[in-house]
Amino acid sequence: MLSRQQTPSTLNTGLEALSEAVSSISRRSCQYCGAVAIASASTCALAVTGDDINFNGYARSGIGSTDKGGEQLCFKAAGAPSKYRLGNECETYAELKFGADLFDQDGVQFYLDTNLAYKVGQQGDYETTDPALREMNIKATGVFGDALPGSMLWVGKRFYNRHDIHMIDYYYWNLSGPGVGIENIDVGMGKLDIAWVRNQNGVKYDNWTNNTYKTEQVTTNILDFRWNEIPIMHNLSLELGLDYGVGSPPDNLPEVTLTNGEKVGKSYFDKNGWMLTGELTWNVLGGFNKVIVQYATDGMTGPGTGTAGMYMQTTDWFKGNKLFRVMDHGAVSIMPKLDMMYVLGVTQVKYDEDTMHPMFPNYGKKTTWMTAGVRPSWNWNDLTSTTIELGYDQVKNAHASFQDGSTLYSSDLFKSKLLKFTIAQQFHPQFGNWVRPQIRIFATYADWNTPKLAAVGTPPDTLKGTACTSANADKCNALGLEYFDTFTSAQQVMKAYGSKSDGWTYGAQMEIWF
């Protein structure tokens, strides 16, 4: 390679050195341009070979119906951020992950990671959808040499160290999005991760128009600090996290008008919040048990009981709010023929009375979500097993609403409850909590309670609601469920069940990850 000190003595020597340098640069450039090589093999054909490309993915799809006919419906308690998922998923969903080892030499590695996600309602043959670009990042290991041995630098869109409960598909610590960070910094007793991540959220603000609030798209920045793999004792480790989030609106953000007529700009949308997380992991019974404690303040309590960090709310409206969460969940093998998943948890959000608008349903109240569930699986042989899932959700001071034509139906504040039971026969290549692929034949039963109807435009704290009658019982029944991210609507529930607040569904589903 041509160094800065070399001065060619002859034209031939210079040309040879230049040729060698260009060749070296070309080879190195090709090694680093794997992302381009995937799209255009002719440009950099030697950069990435077939052995360097990785394909991973996740998918689920199926078919179902209700005991009343029509398409499969899915059940989620009003106000709850999640649902028990076995035999209770009404969509086809897939993630296709392509990655490439771009460079691996002398302890230095560069890896490209991508992820496209697709979701449709699985009601026909030709269902169009726009893919969601969930991940596009590069991870570089060894670039800090002996200064930070074993650490990894990353940048781009990423599922950033998400923590979830599989059986309810709930992410309680999730800061996914575009970002940059350094992971696996060895601090002697455990590892340290530092990251800056971002999301642009629809931030709610106090303008009560047509019986609902308004939102403004505001960029939010979150600084994430994690100390993980802290050894406590044999098979017991601790992870601690501190997240600071703040709104970052532009200086010249157009002013908006609040309900009281006041005009506000940047200073109204740039509020902050904190979230503290502690997670204790015990490796036991061929699996794990995790205990999670979380506390959040102000903007990091948004959007409510389902808070995971990424969808923070940075207006004055959420200032003073507090969140507290305790959860225990795990997946264990009790005996060779019996595996089990389970979860028990409570989350409480106290909405501040001084800053929340009186029309906000939970104004000055505590909203408490409690959940408990088990999923035991009995192994008949390596190829088939029977699984039962029993789950219960309760939300105190829940509120629900839906639009039917030009009419907005709204509930009072009520104690939302949902009991869900599923039995499924599963077929798989071998037995285990985490073995996929699986094919399931299932039947699901759900029973939920119904609220009273609140007068439109009246704070629920002022009007406790009016009793349901035969004329509006179907509306009350539909208000007992949550519809966000369920591929089920209030209109479907009213058509299938009318005033009846329980029912069966049945069907088949496949699930795979690799």
Side-chain angles (χ1 to χ4, degrees), residues 415-447:
K415 184 179 286 187
S416 167
K417 300 177 183 179
L418 187 144
L419 178 68
K420 177 260 185 190
F421 166 83
T422 298
I423 183 169
Q425 191 65 26
Q426 301 187 138
F427 302 89
H428 36 66
Q430 57 187 23
F431 177 69
N433 276 322
W434 305 110
V435 171
R436 300 296 185 275
Q438 285 186 354
I439 294 175
R440 308 177 181 119
I441 310 299
F442 66 84
T444 294
Y445 173 77
D447 187 345

PDB file of all heavy atoms in Angstrom, residues 415-447:
ATOM      1  N   LYS A 415     -64.893  -0.080  35.573  1.00  0.00           N
ATOM      2  CA  LYS A 415     -63.909  -1.136  35.812  1.00  0.00           C
ATOM      3  C   LYS A 415     -64.060  -2.165  34.691  1.00  0.00           C
ATOM      4  O   LYS A 415     -64.977  -2.988  34.686  1.00  0.00           O
ATOM      5  CB  LYS A 415     -64.117  -1.791  37.164  1.00  0.00           C
ATOM      6  CG  LYS A 415     -63.050  -2.832  37.508  1.00  0.00           C
ATOM      7  CD  LYS A 415     -63.278  -3.448  38.869  1.00  0.00           C
ATOM      8  CE  LYS A 415     -62.916  -2.493  39.975  1.00  0.00           C
ATOM      9  NZ  LYS A 415     -62.980  -3.152  41.315  1.00  0.00           N
ATOM     10  N   SER A 416     -63.150  -2.095  33.750  1.00  0.00           N
ATOM     11  CA  SER A 416     -63.165  -3.000  32.608  1.00  0.00           C
ATOM     12  C   SER A 416     -62.607  -4.362  33.026  1.00  0.00           C
ATOM     13  O   SER A 416     -61.579  -4.436  33.703  1.00  0.00           O
ATOM     14  CB  SER A 416     -62.326  -2.398  31.475  1.00  0.00           C
ATOM     15  OG  SER A 416     -62.069  -3.349  30.467  1.00  0.00           O
ATOM     16  N   LYS A 417     -63.293  -5.429  32.614  1.00  0.00           N
ATOM     17  CA  LYS A 417     -62.844  -6.785  32.935  1.00  0.00           C
ATOM     18  C   LYS A 417     -63.002  -7.675  31.716  1.00  0.00           C
ATOM     19  O   LYS A 417     -63.998  -7.565  30.992  1.00  0.00           O
ATOM     20  CB  LYS A 417     -63.667  -7.378  34.092  1.00  0.00           C
ATOM     21  CG  LYS A 417     -63.593  -6.611  35.401  1.00  0.00           C
ATOM     22  CD  LYS A 417     -64.499  -7.261  36.439  1.00  0.00           C
ATOM     23  CE  LYS A 417     -64.519  -6.496  37.750  1.00  0.00           C
ATOM     24  NZ  LYS A 417     -65.431  -7.126  38.739  1.00  0.00           N
ATOM     25  N   LEU A 418     -62.041  -8.563  31.515  1.00  0.00           N
ATOM     26  CA  LEU A 418     -62.155  -9.542  30.431  1.00  0.00           C
ATOM     27  C   LEU A 418     -61.480 -10.839  30.855  1.00  0.00           C
ATOM     28  O   LEU A 418     -60.318 -10.837  31.285  1.00  0.00           O
ATOM     29  CB  LEU A 418     -61.526  -9.025  29.141  1.00  0.00           C
ATOM     30  CG  LEU A 418     -61.735  -9.914  27.898  1.00  0.00           C
ATOM     31  CD1 LEU A 418     -61.920  -9.052  26.652  1.00  0.00           C
ATOM     32  CD2 LEU A 418     -60.560 -10.876  27.679  1.00  0.00           C
ATOM     33  N   LEU A 419     -62.219 -11.929  30.747  1.00  0.00           N
ATOM     34  CA  LEU A 419     -61.698 -13.267  30.988  1.00  0.00           C
ATOM     35  C   LEU A 419     -61.631 -13.990  29.656  1.00  0.00           C
ATOM     36  O   LEU A 419     -62.613 -14.025  28.915  1.00  0.00           O
ATOM     37  CB  LEU A 419     -62.595 -14.034  31.954  1.00  0.00           C
ATOM     38  CG  LEU A 419     -62.187 -15.483  32.251  1.00  0.00           C
ATOM     39  CD1 LEU A 419     -60.882 -15.522  33.040  1.00  0.00           C
ATOM     40  CD2 LEU A 419     -63.299 -16.210  33.013  1.00  0.00           C
ATOM     41  N   LYS A 420     -60.479 -14.571  29.362  1.00  0.00           N
ATOM     42  CA  LYS A 420     -60.284 -15.227  28.060  1.00  0.00           C
ATOM     43  C   LYS A 420     -59.693 -16.616  28.265  1.00  0.00           C
ATOM     44  O   LYS A 420     -58.737 -16.802  29.032  1.00  0.00           O
ATOM     45  CB  LYS A 420     -59.359 -14.353  27.197  1.00  0.00           C
ATOM     46  CG  LYS A 420     -59.007 -14.933  25.824  1.00  0.00           C
ATOM     47  CD  LYS A 420     -57.634 -15.561  25.858  1.00  0.00           C
ATOM     48  CE  LYS A 420     -57.203 -16.041  24.486  1.00  0.00           C
ATOM     49  NZ  LYS A 420     -55.973 -16.855  24.557  1.00  0.00           N
ATOM     50  N   PHE A 421     -60.267 -17.600  27.566  1.00  0.00           N
ATOM     51  CA  PHE A 421     -59.827 -18.991  27.654  1.00  0.00           C
ATOM     52  C   PHE A 421     -59.632 -19.541  26.252  1.00  0.00           C
ATOM     53  O   PHE A 421     -60.476 -19.338  25.370  1.00  0.00           O
ATOM     54  CB  PHE A 421     -60.867 -19.829  28.393  1.00  0.00           C
ATOM     55  CG  PHE A 421     -60.674 -21.311  28.251  1.00  0.00           C
ATOM     56  CD1 PHE A 421     -59.774 -21.985  29.062  1.00  0.00           C
ATOM     57  CD2 PHE A 421     -61.381 -22.038  27.296  1.00  0.00           C
ATOM     58  CE1 PHE A 421     -59.594 -23.361  28.922  1.00  0.00           C
ATOM     59  CE2 PHE A 421     -61.202 -23.403  27.147  1.00  0.00           C
ATOM     60  CZ  PHE A 421     -60.302 -24.066  27.963  1.00  0.00           C
ATOM     61  N   THR A 422     -58.523 -20.218  26.029  1.00  0.00           N
ATOM     62  CA  THR A 422     -58.245 -20.861  24.738  1.00  0.00           C
ATOM     63  C   THR A 422     -57.718 -22.269  24.961  1.00  0.00           C
ATOM     64  O   THR A 422     -56.878 -22.494  25.851  1.00  0.00           O
ATOM     65  CB  THR A 422     -57.206 -20.067  23.919  1.00  0.00           C
ATOM     66  OG1 THR A 422     -57.718 -18.774  23.618  1.00  0.00           O
ATOM     67  CG2 THR A 422     -56.871 -20.780  22.611  1.00  0.00           C
ATOM     68  N   ILE A 423     -58.202 -23.203  24.178  1.00  0.00           N
ATOM     69  CA  ILE A 423     -57.619 -24.535  24.115  1.00  0.00           C
ATOM     70  C   ILE A 423     -57.173 -24.760  22.678  1.00  0.00           C
ATOM     71  O   ILE A 423     -57.905 -24.442  21.729  1.00  0.00           O
ATOM     72  CB  ILE A 423     -58.599 -25.623  24.584  1.00  0.00           C
ATOM     73  CG1 ILE A 423     -57.897 -26.990  24.574  1.00  0.00           C
ATOM     74  CG2 ILE A 423     -59.886 -25.620  23.770  1.00  0.00           C
ATOM     75  CD1 ILE A 423     -58.695 -28.081  25.267  1.00  0.00           C
ATOM     76  N   ALA A 424     -55.958 -25.296  22.519  1.00  0.00           N
ATOM     77  CA  ALA A 424     -55.395 -25.471  21.176  1.00  0.00           C
ATOM     78  C   ALA A 424     -54.634 -26.782  21.096  1.00  0.00           C
ATOM     79  O   ALA A 424     -53.920 -27.161  22.030  1.00  0.00           O
ATOM     80  CB  ALA A 424     -54.462 -24.311  20.833  1.00  0.00           C
ATOM     81  N   GLN A 425     -54.818 -27.474  19.972  1.00  0.00           N
ATOM     82  CA  GLN A 425     -53.993 -28.628  19.657  1.00  0.00           C
ATOM     83  C   GLN A 425     -52.894 -28.152  18.723  1.00  0.00           C
ATOM     84  O   GLN A 425     -53.176 -27.545  17.682  1.00  0.00           O
ATOM     85  CB  GLN A 425     -54.809 -29.735  19.007  1.00  0.00           C
ATOM     86  CG  GLN A 425     -54.086 -31.059  18.883  1.00  0.00           C
ATOM     87  CD  GLN A 425     -53.754 -31.678  20.240  1.00  0.00           C
ATOM     88  OE1 GLN A 425     -54.429 -31.416  21.223  1.00  0.00           O
ATOM     89  NE2 GLN A 425     -52.711 -32.507  20.286  1.00  0.00           N
ATOM     90  N   GLN A 426     -51.653 -28.412  19.102  1.00  0.00           N
ATOM     91  CA  GLN A 426     -50.506 -27.878  18.362  1.00  0.00           C
ATOM     92  C   GLN A 426     -49.725 -29.011  17.687  1.00  0.00           C
ATOM     93  O   GLN A 426     -49.602 -30.109  18.236  1.00  0.00           O
ATOM     94  CB  GLN A 426     -49.571 -27.115  19.302  1.00  0.00           C
ATOM     95  CG  GLN A 426     -50.257 -25.962  20.006  1.00  0.00           C
ATOM     96  CD  GLN A 426     -49.289 -25.116  20.812  1.00  0.00           C
ATOM     97  OE1 GLN A 426     -49.365 -23.901  20.807  1.00  0.00           O
ATOM     98  NE2 GLN A 426     -48.372 -25.759  21.512  1.00  0.00           N
ATOM     99  N   PHE A 427     -49.183 -28.704  16.515  1.00  0.00           N
ATOM    100  CA  PHE A 427     -48.350 -29.632  15.767  1.00  0.00           C
ATOM    101  C   PHE A 427     -47.021 -28.952  15.473  1.00  0.00           C
ATOM    102  O   PHE A 427     -46.990 -27.794  15.018  1.00  0.00           O
ATOM    103  CB  PHE A 427     -49.064 -30.064  14.488  1.00  0.00           C
ATOM    104  CG  PHE A 427     -50.399 -30.707  14.741  1.00  0.00           C
ATOM    105  CD1 PHE A 427     -51.558 -29.943  14.806  1.00  0.00           C
ATOM    106  CD2 PHE A 427     -50.489 -32.083  14.936  1.00  0.00           C
ATOM    107  CE1 PHE A 427     -52.790 -30.538  15.051  1.00  0.00           C
ATOM    108  CE2 PHE A 427     -51.720 -32.681  15.183  1.00  0.00           C
ATOM    109  CZ  PHE A 427     -52.871 -31.907  15.247  1.00  0.00           C
ATOM    110  N   HIS A 428     -45.914 -29.658  15.736  1.00  0.00           N
ATOM    111  CA  HIS A 428     -44.588 -29.035  15.686  1.00  0.00           C
ATOM    112  C   HIS A 428     -43.528 -30.113  15.474  1.00  0.00           C
ATOM    113  O   HIS A 428     -43.785 -31.304  15.692  1.00  0.00           O
ATOM    114  CB  HIS A 428     -44.326 -28.292  16.990  1.00  0.00           C
ATOM    115  CG  HIS A 428     -44.893 -28.989  18.205  1.00  0.00           C
ATOM    116  ND1 HIS A 428     -44.440 -30.215  18.655  1.00  0.00           N
ATOM    117  CD2 HIS A 428     -45.916 -28.641  19.031  1.00  0.00           C
ATOM    118  CE1 HIS A 428     -45.146 -30.585  19.732  1.00  0.00           C
ATOM    119  NE2 HIS A 428     -46.050 -29.652  19.968  1.00  0.00           N
ATOM    120  N   PRO A 429     -42.320 -29.729  15.077  1.00  0.00           N
ATOM    121  CA  PRO A 429     -41.264 -30.726  14.861  1.00  0.00           C
ATOM    122  C   PRO A 429     -40.693 -31.300  16.150  1.00  0.00           C
ATOM    123  O   PRO A 429     -40.139 -32.395  16.153  1.00  0.00           O
ATOM    124  CB  PRO A 429     -40.199 -29.954  14.080  1.00  0.00           C
ATOM    125  CG  PRO A 429     -40.444 -28.517  14.411  1.00  0.00           C
ATOM    126  CD  PRO A 429     -41.919 -28.387  14.610  1.00  0.00           C
ATOM    127  N   GLN A 430     -40.796 -30.544  17.239  1.00  0.00           N
ATOM    128  CA  GLN A 430     -40.414 -31.033  18.551  1.00  0.00           C
ATOM    129  C   GLN A 430     -41.114 -30.165  19.596  1.00  0.00           C
ATOM    130  O   GLN A 430     -41.722 -29.149  19.263  1.00  0.00           O
ATOM    131  CB  GLN A 430     -38.902 -31.018  18.756  1.00  0.00           C
ATOM    132  CG  GLN A 430     -38.249 -29.668  18.575  1.00  0.00           C
ATOM    133  CD  GLN A 430     -36.737 -29.758  18.636  1.00  0.00           C
ATOM    134  OE1 GLN A 430     -36.163 -30.816  18.404  1.00  0.00           O
ATOM    135  NE2 GLN A 430     -36.074 -28.656  18.952  1.00  0.00           N
ATOM    136  N   PHE A 431     -41.041 -30.550  20.875  1.00  0.00           N
ATOM    137  CA  PHE A 431     -41.816 -29.892  21.917  1.00  0.00           C
ATOM    138  C   PHE A 431     -40.983 -28.849  22.647  1.00  0.00           C
ATOM    139  O   PHE A 431     -39.789 -29.022  22.850  1.00  0.00           O
ATOM    140  CB  PHE A 431     -42.322 -30.943  22.913  1.00  0.00           C
ATOM    141  CG  PHE A 431     -43.085 -30.371  24.074  1.00  0.00           C
ATOM    142  CD1 PHE A 431     -44.332 -29.790  23.885  1.00  0.00           C
ATOM    143  CD2 PHE A 431     -42.551 -30.408  25.355  1.00  0.00           C
ATOM    144  CE1 PHE A 431     -45.034 -29.264  24.954  1.00  0.00           C
ATOM    145  CE2 PHE A 431     -43.254 -29.891  26.431  1.00  0.00           C
ATOM    146  CZ  PHE A 431     -44.498 -29.317  26.235  1.00  0.00           C
ATOM    147  N   GLY A 432     -41.635 -27.752  23.049  1.00  0.00           N
ATOM    148  CA  GLY A 432     -40.966 -26.741  23.862  1.00  0.00           C
ATOM    149  C   GLY A 432     -41.658 -25.398  23.750  1.00  0.00           C
ATOM    150  O   GLY A 432     -42.310 -25.089  22.746  1.00  0.00           O
ATOM    151  N   ASN A 433     -41.510 -24.577  24.796  1.00  0.00           N
ATOM    152  CA  ASN A 433     -42.121 -23.243  24.801  1.00  0.00           C
ATOM    153  C   ASN A 433     -41.743 -22.415  23.580  1.00  0.00           C
ATOM    154  O   ASN A 433     -42.564 -21.659  23.044  1.00  0.00           O
ATOM    155  CB  ASN A 433     -41.691 -22.482  26.067  1.00  0.00           C
ATOM    156  CG  ASN A 433     -42.541 -22.817  27.276  1.00  0.00           C
ATOM    157  OD1 ASN A 433     -43.749 -23.001  27.176  1.00  0.00           O
ATOM    158  ND2 ASN A 433     -41.899 -22.907  28.444  1.00  0.00           N
ATOM    159  N   TRP A 434     -40.496 -22.561  23.145  1.00  0.00           N
ATOM    160  CA  TRP A 434     -39.976 -21.666  22.106  1.00  0.00           C
ATOM    161  C   TRP A 434     -39.753 -22.367  20.777  1.00  0.00           C
ATOM    162  O   TRP A 434     -39.090 -21.831  19.894  1.00  0.00           O
ATOM    163  CB  TRP A 434     -38.662 -21.031  22.586  1.00  0.00           C
ATOM    164  CG  TRP A 434     -38.823 -20.337  23.905  1.00  0.00           C
ATOM    165  CD1 TRP A 434     -38.311 -20.715  25.106  1.00  0.00           C
ATOM    166  CD2 TRP A 434     -39.584 -19.145  24.150  1.00  0.00           C
ATOM    167  NE1 TRP A 434     -38.684 -19.845  26.082  1.00  0.00           N
ATOM    168  CE2 TRP A 434     -39.466 -18.868  25.527  1.00  0.00           C
ATOM    169  CE3 TRP A 434     -40.343 -18.291  23.345  1.00  0.00           C
ATOM    170  CZ2 TRP A 434     -40.082 -17.765  26.127  1.00  0.00           C
ATOM    171  CZ3 TRP A 434     -40.962 -17.193  23.946  1.00  0.00           C
ATOM    172  CH2 TRP A 434     -40.836 -16.948  25.303  1.00  0.00           C
ATOM    173  N   VAL A 435     -40.302 -23.554  20.639  1.00  0.00           N
ATOM    174  CA  VAL A 435     -40.135 -24.294  19.386  1.00  0.00           C
ATOM    175  C   VAL A 435     -41.121 -23.763  18.349  1.00  0.00           C
ATOM    176  O   VAL A 435     -42.322 -23.666  18.584  1.00  0.00           O
ATOM    177  CB  VAL A 435     -40.340 -25.800  19.596  1.00  0.00           C
ATOM    178  CG1 VAL A 435     -40.378 -26.517  18.249  1.00  0.00           C
ATOM    179  CG2 VAL A 435     -39.240 -26.379  20.466  1.00  0.00           C
ATOM    180  N   ARG A 436     -40.614 -23.420  17.207  1.00  0.00           N
ATOM    181  CA  ARG A 436     -41.415 -23.046  16.049  1.00  0.00           C
ATOM    182  C   ARG A 436     -40.768 -23.701  14.831  1.00  0.00           C
ATOM    183  O   ARG A 436     -39.550 -23.916  14.848  1.00  0.00           O
ATOM    184  CB  ARG A 436     -41.470 -21.512  15.854  1.00  0.00           C
ATOM    185  CG  ARG A 436     -42.072 -20.733  17.027  1.00  0.00           C
ATOM    186  CD  ARG A 436     -43.543 -21.082  17.252  1.00  0.00           C
ATOM    187  NE  ARG A 436     -44.140 -20.237  18.292  1.00  0.00           N
ATOM    188  CZ  ARG A 436     -44.073 -20.497  19.599  1.00  0.00           C
ATOM    189  NH1 ARG A 436     -43.450 -21.584  20.030  1.00  0.00           N
ATOM    190  NH2 ARG A 436     -44.632 -19.683  20.477  1.00  0.00           N
ATOM    191  N   PRO A 437     -41.534 -24.051  13.782  1.00  0.00           N
ATOM    192  CA  PRO A 437     -42.925 -23.674  13.510  1.00  0.00           C
ATOM    193  C   PRO A 437     -43.925 -24.457  14.348  1.00  0.00           C
ATOM    194  O   PRO A 437     -43.654 -25.549  14.840  1.00  0.00           O
ATOM    195  CB  PRO A 437     -43.075 -23.991  12.031  1.00  0.00           C
ATOM    196  CG  PRO A 437     -42.131 -25.132  11.800  1.00  0.00           C
ATOM    197  CD  PRO A 437     -40.952 -24.837  12.678  1.00  0.00           C
ATOM    198  N   GLN A 438     -45.132 -23.850  14.455  1.00  0.00           N
ATOM    199  CA  GLN A 438     -46.269 -24.506  15.078  1.00  0.00           C
ATOM    200  C   GLN A 438     -47.513 -24.289  14.215  1.00  0.00           C
ATOM    201  O   GLN A 438     -47.687 -23.221  13.629  1.00  0.00           O
ATOM    202  CB  GLN A 438     -46.538 -23.949  16.483  1.00  0.00           C
ATOM    203  CG  GLN A 438     -45.564 -24.409  17.544  1.00  0.00           C
ATOM    204  CD  GLN A 438     -45.972 -23.947  18.936  1.00  0.00           C
ATOM    205  OE1 GLN A 438     -46.929 -23.189  19.100  1.00  0.00           O
ATOM    206  NE2 GLN A 438     -45.243 -24.409  19.947  1.00  0.00           N
ATOM    207  N   ILE A 439     -48.350 -25.318  14.157  1.00  0.00           N
ATOM    208  CA  ILE A 439     -49.688 -25.202  13.582  1.00  0.00           C
ATOM    209  C   ILE A 439     -50.668 -25.470  14.707  1.00  0.00           C
ATOM    210  O   ILE A 439     -50.519 -26.456  15.449  1.00  0.00           O
ATOM    211  CB  ILE A 439     -49.897 -26.195  12.424  1.00  0.00           C
ATOM    212  CG1 ILE A 439     -48.978 -25.839  11.250  1.00  0.00           C
ATOM    213  CG2 ILE A 439     -51.348 -26.208  11.974  1.00  0.00           C
ATOM    214  CD1 ILE A 439     -49.031 -26.844  10.115  1.00  0.00           C
ATOM    215  N   ARG A 440     -51.674 -24.599  14.863  1.00  0.00           N
ATOM    216  CA  ARG A 440     -52.601 -24.713  15.980  1.00  0.00           C
ATOM    217  C   ARG A 440     -54.042 -24.791  15.465  1.00  0.00           C
ATOM    218  O   ARG A 440     -54.432 -24.034  14.582  1.00  0.00           O
ATOM    219  CB  ARG A 440     -52.483 -23.499  16.905  1.00  0.00           C
ATOM    220  CG  ARG A 440     -51.068 -23.198  17.356  1.00  0.00           C
ATOM    221  CD  ARG A 440     -51.031 -21.937  18.202  1.00  0.00           C
ATOM    222  NE  ARG A 440     -49.666 -21.630  18.624  1.00  0.00           N
ATOM    223  CZ  ARG A 440     -49.024 -20.516  18.302  1.00  0.00           C
ATOM    224  NH1 ARG A 440     -49.622 -19.590  17.560  1.00  0.00           N
ATOM    225  NH2 ARG A 440     -47.790 -20.314  18.712  1.00  0.00           N
ATOM    226  N   ILE A 441     -54.807 -25.670  16.048  1.00  0.00           N
ATOM    227  CA  ILE A 441     -56.259 -25.710  15.866  1.00  0.00           C
ATOM    228  C   ILE A 441     -56.842 -25.277  17.212  1.00  0.00           C
ATOM    229  O   ILE A 441     -56.586 -25.929  18.229  1.00  0.00           O
ATOM    230  CB  ILE A 441     -56.759 -27.116  15.501  1.00  0.00           C
ATOM    231  CG1 ILE A 441     -55.926 -27.697  14.335  1.00  0.00           C
ATOM    232  CG2 ILE A 441     -58.233 -27.080  15.156  1.00  0.00           C
ATOM    233  CD1 ILE A 441     -55.997 -26.900  13.062  1.00  0.00           C
ATOM    234  N   PHE A 442     -57.622 -24.198  17.232  1.00  0.00           N
ATOM    235  CA  PHE A 442     -57.977 -23.607  18.525  1.00  0.00           C
ATOM    236  C   PHE A 442     -59.461 -23.275  18.626  1.00  0.00           C
ATOM    237  O   PHE A 442     -60.172 -23.129  17.628  1.00  0.00           O
ATOM    238  CB  PHE A 442     -57.166 -22.324  18.757  1.00  0.00           C
ATOM    239  CG  PHE A 442     -57.487 -21.210  17.794  1.00  0.00           C
ATOM    240  CD1 PHE A 442     -58.568 -20.356  18.010  1.00  0.00           C
ATOM    241  CD2 PHE A 442     -56.712 -21.007  16.655  1.00  0.00           C
ATOM    242  CE1 PHE A 442     -58.867 -19.330  17.127  1.00  0.00           C
ATOM    243  CE2 PHE A 442     -56.995 -19.982  15.762  1.00  0.00           C
ATOM    244  CZ  PHE A 442     -58.087 -19.148  15.998  1.00  0.00           C
ATOM    245  N   ALA A 443     -59.891 -23.124  19.879  1.00  0.00           N
ATOM    246  CA  ALA A 443     -61.200 -22.566  20.220  1.00  0.00           C
ATOM    247  C   ALA A 443     -60.983 -21.598  21.368  1.00  0.00           C
ATOM    248  O   ALA A 443     -60.272 -21.915  22.329  1.00  0.00           O
ATOM    249  CB  ALA A 443     -62.185 -23.649  20.615  1.00  0.00           C
ATOM    250  N   THR A 444     -61.594 -20.418  21.278  1.00  0.00           N
ATOM    251  CA  THR A 444     -61.388 -19.358  22.267  1.00  0.00           C
ATOM    252  C   THR A 444     -62.729 -18.852  22.785  1.00  0.00           C
ATOM    253  O   THR A 444     -63.669 -18.646  22.010  1.00  0.00           O
ATOM    254  CB  THR A 444     -60.605 -18.180  21.644  1.00  0.00           C
ATOM    255  OG1 THR A 444     -59.288 -18.619  21.322  1.00  0.00           O
ATOM    256  CG2 THR A 444     -60.526 -16.999  22.602  1.00  0.00           C
ATOM    257  N   TYR A 445     -62.795 -18.654  24.103  1.00  0.00           N
ATOM    258  CA  TYR A 445     -63.977 -18.083  24.729  1.00  0.00           C
ATOM    259  C   TYR A 445     -63.580 -16.815  25.470  1.00  0.00           C
ATOM    260  O   TYR A 445     -62.536 -16.777  26.125  1.00  0.00           O
ATOM    261  CB  TYR A 445     -64.600 -19.070  25.716  1.00  0.00           C
ATOM    262  CG  TYR A 445     -65.737 -18.479  26.524  1.00  0.00           C
ATOM    263  CD1 TYR A 445     -67.000 -18.309  25.967  1.00  0.00           C
ATOM    264  CD2 TYR A 445     -65.528 -18.067  27.839  1.00  0.00           C
ATOM    265  CE1 TYR A 445     -68.048 -17.766  26.698  1.00  0.00           C
ATOM    266  CE2 TYR A 445     -66.564 -17.517  28.584  1.00  0.00           C
ATOM    267  CZ  TYR A 445     -67.820 -17.363  28.009  1.00  0.00           C
ATOM    268  OH  TYR A 445     -68.843 -16.803  28.741  1.00  0.00           O
ATOM    269  N   ALA A 446     -64.407 -15.768  25.378  1.00  0.00           N
ATOM    270  CA  ALA A 446     -64.156 -14.514  26.087  1.00  0.00           C
ATOM    271  C   ALA A 446     -65.435 -14.013  26.727  1.00  0.00           C
ATOM    272  O   ALA A 446     -66.528 -14.164  26.165  1.00  0.00           O
ATOM    273  CB  ALA A 446     -63.593 -13.461  25.139  1.00  0.00           C
ATOM    274  N   ASP A 447     -65.288 -13.409  27.896  1.00  0.00           N
ATOM    275  CA  ASP A 447     -66.410 -12.828  28.632  1.00  0.00           C
ATOM    276  C   ASP A 447     -65.939 -11.482  29.166  1.00  0.00           C
ATOM    277  O   ASP A 447     -64.909 -11.402  29.834  1.00  0.00           O
ATOM    278  CB  ASP A 447     -66.819 -13.757  29.775  1.00  0.00           C
ATOM    279  CG  ASP A 447     -68.087 -13.300  30.482  1.00  0.00           C
ATOM    280  OD1 ASP A 447     -68.491 -12.137  30.298  1.00  0.00           O
ATOM    281  OD2 ASP A 447     -68.661 -14.110  31.237  1.00  0.00           O
TER     282      ASP A 447
END
